[in-house]
Structures are given as C-alpha cells and as structure tokens.
Amino acid sequence: MAGQALTARKVLVHWMDGAVALMALAFVGMVVTVAVEGKVSVPHAVAAGVCLVGVCGLVPFLLREAFDTRPAPSVRLVAAGLLAAGAVALLPPVSTASGDGLWAMVTYLWLSVAVLYLRVWAAVCTGAVVVALSTAAVVLTTRQPWQPVLLVQAITAVLMAVAMWLWRWLWWTIRDAHDGKEAKASLAVAEERLRFARDLHDLLGHSLSVISLKSELAAKLATRDAAEGRAAREMADVRRLAVEALAEVQVAVDGYRTLDLDEELDGVRAALEAAGARCEIDAATAGLSPAARALLAWAVREGATNVLKHSTATRCSITIRDGALEMRNDGVRVPVLLGEATGGSGLRGLAERLDAAGGSFTAGPGPAGEFVLKAVVPA
C-alpha cells in the first residue's frame, strides 16, 4: 500500500509539472506573437518572457513545498509574485486577446499557488486584490467595460485557485486513506499481541501456580521417609501439569482458546483441595452455549489461580446459575486483589475478555470478609 501511495503522489506532482510546462510554452508563444506583431519592443518581450519563464520555473518548487503540508509563505513565493507582476508591467499597452490572456493567466497561476500557503481569509483577500489589479490593468489598456472584465477575471481566478486546491486535497485524501490503513494494521498487531499476552497468562498462570505449590509440597514430603509415596505422586502431578502447560502454550500459539467448563471445574477442585482448601461447587451448566461455557471456564481458571497465588483460603465456593458465576474464598490478605494491586494482569485481562463478549465482571472483598469474584456472560 505504501508503494501505491507514493506512486499516486508522483503521478499528481508530475501531472501538475506537465500542466505548468504547457502554460510556460503558451506564455512564450504569446510573447513571441505580440513581439512579432510589433505590439511590444523586443527588449520588453525578452524581459517579459524571462519573468514568465521564471514564474513557471518556481511554481513546481512551490507546489512541492505545499503539497504535503500548508507551510508559511516563503521567499520563493514572494519572488514568483514579483516576477508575475514584472511580466504584467512589461507587457502593456496591449489590446489583443492574447495580451489579456497573459495578464490573467500569469497572475492567477501565481494566485493558485499562493492559496496553498494561506489561510482561507488571507487567500480571499489576496485573490480580491489580484483580481482588482488585473481588472484595472485590462480596463485601462483596452478601454473595455469593467463589468464583463471583472466577471471574466473573477471566474478565472476562482477556477484556477479551486483547481489547484482540489489537486492538493486529492493527494491529502489518498495519503489519509493510506495512513488510516497503516494505523488499522498497527492496531490489529497491537491487539493481537495483547490477546496473546492475556491468553498466555490465562493458560499458564493456573498451571504454573499449581506446579509451584505441588513442587513445594513434594519437597517437604521428601524429607519424610514415610511420605515418599505421596511425594512421588505429587511430583508425578508436577510432571503432568508441566506437560499440560506446554500443550496450552501450543494452543495459545495456534489461536484456539476453547476450554471445557466441566473439566476446568474438576481441575480447580483438585488443585484447591491439594492446597488444603475445601472446594464446594454448585454449577448448573447444561443450558449454556459453548461460548458462554468457554468464558466461564476462563473465569473459573483465573479465579482459582488468584486463590492459589494471593490468598490463604481454607474454603472456596463456586456457584454457576443462568450464566452468572460467583466464586468466594475466605483467604483475603489485602484490601483489594485486583490485578492493579498485585501487579498482575490476570483479572484485568479477564475483565477485558468478558466486556468484549458483552458480559460483566467484578472482583474484590465482600462485606463478610471474603474475596468475591463475579462474572456474568450472555447465556
């Protein structure tokens, strides 16, 4: 897409360059014509031609300065204006149609470029002055009625200025569309990174917490000869959890994030009881949609992970009714256990996940001194 935008810019700029080059040839041709007809002297014609070519030579540089932004008036803009005024001053007295065209075109070519540098009110004022002076010059030298001359001059000034402004607006539209696509692509990448980080935390946080707990328990049991069998079982569980964690990383990488709610409830019960916390589960999940079951499974997993990592709970209750989950534990150790307080991002990521699905999420200490996690999903 970047290549297409640059190509569009080159086409527009070169198109304007070609138009200015054609105008320069027309100017030179008209100067030669009035010189051959004897309407102006050869020195005047040469000087006027130099001024006209100078204006046309500066215009491409001025256009490039003002093509991407609206800069402040520059020395080049002033120099082009003086050359245009010099060309008009050197050509009178001329009463032919070609002379009238010279007056209009060279002054309005400069005006069409000047409007790219000026604010609307300044451009209108400058245009009014240029039209008034050009009209006065034509009327004084050709003795034509001022009303039709003014109308022609005003129409010419407006058309050329608006055409140049629209030319730049076309490029700005193309550029903004390109920038919008680039921003959208960058946002998609950032969102995918956030999703992956959140999923990785959700997938591994629970498993690694249990692994840590079981490893500590196995280390303690290994110091007692009578508990060697239990220590071996705990280490076998550690190995199994490590294998599951590796599989979950692969799931996250593949982008498939489906959890089974019933399996998650069984796993949470086993993990909490192994940690010494009694777990009571009252779950009615039969009528839930697959998407609702998956969201509640994530909530159950994250809630259990926070119980294992951040509390000293001896009892935890899990209730699911009509798409609403409530987890309570009696192991509150700090006033607030949200991710911001603990430095983690699990509960915050869970809240974002539920909000995106049209659900709701709250977590914090309850009035009875318990930590309460509530998640509601569209049933």
Side-chain angles (χ1 to χ4, degrees):
M1 180 61 188
Q4 295 177 354
L6 291 176
T7 300
R9 187 186 190 282
K10 290 179 180 179
V11 169
L12 293 175
V13 170
H14 293 328
W15 192 287
M16 289 189 295
D17 290 345
V20 173
L22 289 176
M23 292 183 70
L25 291 176
F27 288 155
V28 172
M30 285 187 286
V31 170
V32 171
T33 298
V34 296
V36 170
E37 292 177 352
K39 301 296 177 62
V40 296
S41 65
V42 173
H44 277 129
V46 172
V50 170
C51 290
L52 291 170
V53 172
V55 174
C56 294
L58 287 174
V59 165
F61 296 100
L62 294 170
L63 291 176
R64 281 166 173 77
E65 286 181 358
F67 203 55
D68 293 311
T69 60
R70 185 176 62 193
S74 63
V75 175
R76 286 177 177 172
L77 182 65
V78 175
L82 293 176
L83 288 173
V88 173
L90 290 169
L91 286 172
V94 179
S95 60
T96 63
S98 61
D100 296 348
L102 279 176
W103 267 321
M105 296 302 292
V106 69
T107 54
Y108 298 143
L109 173 62
W110 176 83
L111 178 63
S112 67
V113 176
V115 298
L116 303 181
Y117 287 76
L118 304 174
R119 297 189 179 275
V120 175
W121 65 269
V124 171
C125 293
T126 303
V129 171
V130 172
V131 169
L133 292 177
S134 297
T135 301
V138 172
V139 170
L140 291 174
T141 56
T142 63
R143 305 300 180 183
Q144 298 180 32
W146 67 269
Q147 293 90 342
V149 173
L150 177 62
L151 179 62
V152 172
Q153 301 293 311
I155 291 175
T156 304
V158 170
L159 288 179
M160 291 188 65
V162 170
M164 190 67 74
W165 181 84
L166 287 176
W167 207 251
R168 185 178 66 175
W169 174 83
L170 178 61
W171 160 241
W172 282 7
T173 301
I174 296 172
R175 182 190 62 189
D176 291 345
H178 169 259
D179 292 343
K181 288 189 176 182
E182 290 288 330
K184 186 176 180 180
S186 300
L187 180 61
V189 171
E191 288 180 346
E192 180 60 20
R193 287 175 178 172
L194 179 61
R195 180 203 68 81
F196 185 79
R198 183 179 62 208
D199 289 351
L200 198 61
H201 177 278
D202 293 346
L203 288 168
L204 292 184
H206 175 74
S207 298
L208 294 178
S209 296
V210 178
I211 288 173
S212 176
L213 178 68
K214 286 184 173 291
S215 299
E216 182 180 356
L217 179 59
K220 292 179 179 178
L221 293 174
T223 60
R224 310 180 213 165
D225 294 339
E228 288 181 357
R230 186 178 175 188
R233 289 194 300 273
E234 296 294 341
M235 290 308 298
D237 286 342
V238 169
R239 181 180 180 279
R240 175 182 58 80
L241 289 169
V243 172
E244 290 178 356
L246 178 60
E248 288 170 342
V249 171
Q250 294 171 343
V251 167
V253 171
D254 292 337
Y256 299 102
R257 301 176 289 167
T258 302
L259 293 180
D260 183 81
L261 179 57
D262 294 331
E263 291 182 0
E264 203 62 35
L265 288 170
D266 292 339
V268 165
R269 186 202 301 272
L272 291 175
E273 290 181 349
R278 182 165 54 92
C279 183
E280 300 173 356
I281 297 177
D282 181 11
T285 62
L288 297 175
S289 66
R293 293 174 64 88
L295 286 171
L296 290 178
W298 284 114
V300 168
R301 167 172 287 204
E302 185 57 39
T305 299
N306 276 271
V307 172
L308 293 171
K309 291 171 61 177
H310 304 302
S311 77
T312 57
T314 60
R315 182 181 60 82
C316 179
S317 64
I318 303 175
T319 305
I320 299 177
R321 285 284 185 277
D322 299 324
L325 164 70
E326 181 178 280
M327 293 184 65
R328 293 177 175 269
N329 73 83
D330 61 353
V332 177
R333 292 190 300 187
V334 294
V336 178
L337 293 179
L338 282 172
E340 290 83 358
T342 62
S345 60
L347 293 181
R348 185 169 59 250
L350 178 60
E352 293 172 357
R353 186 191 300 274
L354 288 169
D355 288 342
S360 62
F361 173 81
T362 58
E370 297 176 314
F371 186 81
V372 182
L373 181 150
K374 293 183 180 180
V376 179
V377 299

